């Protein structure tokens, strides 16, 4: 760690403390050259994978786009926003722990459909109709049949 005052690279940690939430470490440092003190903060860097679109282009993962997609599918449906927040969290955590540097929009779409199937079947069919680009009524019927098959009691 370089001193922000004199750019000397020899510094000493004088004190370390973990934040109350436990997600940040605060360190007081002292420069060995100029004897000035300063504070640094350490927190984990969580990198979301890049998204490969259908046309082959790449873009950064955007949690706001994910939330907007879910909100659009769930428009005028009686699903609490806390449930939608939990679904967004599950999807992003799944992407983080996968360790993949890149994921396709198809992969993310499948994660969204899996969450929507649990939240609201009508929203699932709405999302699937756009995501899978339904061309005729038979594709809608097939999607509805999938929902019925998955929700039938065993």
């Amino acid at each position: 760690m370089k001193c922000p005052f004199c750019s000397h690279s020899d510094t000493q940690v004088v004190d370390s403390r973990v934040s109350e939430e436990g997600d940040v470490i605060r360190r007081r440092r002292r420069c060995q050259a100029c004897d000035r003190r300063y504070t640094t903060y350490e927190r984990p860097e969580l990198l979301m994978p890049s998204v490969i679109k259908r046309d082959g282009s790449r873009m950064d993962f955007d949690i706001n786009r994910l939330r907007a997609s879910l909100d659009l599918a769930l428009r005028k449906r009686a699903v609490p926003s806390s449930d939608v927040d939990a679904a967004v969290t599950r999807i992003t955590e799944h992407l983080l722990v996968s360790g993949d540097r890149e994921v396709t929009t198809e992969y993310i779409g499948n994660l969204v459909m899996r969450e929507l199937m649990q939240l609201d079947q009508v929203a699932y069919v709405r999302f699937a109709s756009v995501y899978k680009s339904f061309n005729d009524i038979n594709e809608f019927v097939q999607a509805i049949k999938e929902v019925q098959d998955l929700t039938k009691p065993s």
Side-chain angles (χ1 to χ4, degrees), residues 8 14 18 38 47 54 61 72 106 114 116 123 141 148 154:
H8 194 264
V14 179
V18 178
Y38 58 97
L47 295 176
R54 288 183 181 169
F61 175 80
L72 184 60
E106 180 180 356
R114 187 174 73 192
L116 285 173
V141 172
Q148 288 173 330
S154 297

Side-chain angles (χ1 to χ4, degrees), residues 22-70:
D23 58 349
V24 177
I25 297 176
R26 176 188 171 270
R27 298 194 194 279
R28 285 293 293 164
R29 296 178 180 268
R30 184 176 63 82
C31 176
Q32 301 289 59
C34 69
D35 206 38
R36 295 185 77 175
R37 294 176 182 236
Y38 58 97
T39 303
T40 60
Y41 296 92
E42 294 179 24
R43 60 182 45 88
E45 181 178 34
L46 302 173
L47 295 176
M48 293 299 291
S50 295
V51 178
I52 304 171
K53 297 171 66 174
R54 288 183 181 169
D55 65 2
S57 63
R58 286 168 171 69
M59 63 182 294
D60 292 334
F61 175 80
D62 185 354
I63 195 168
N64 295 321
R65 288 181 69 143
L66 173 64
R67 177 65 193 231
S69 295
L70 285 163

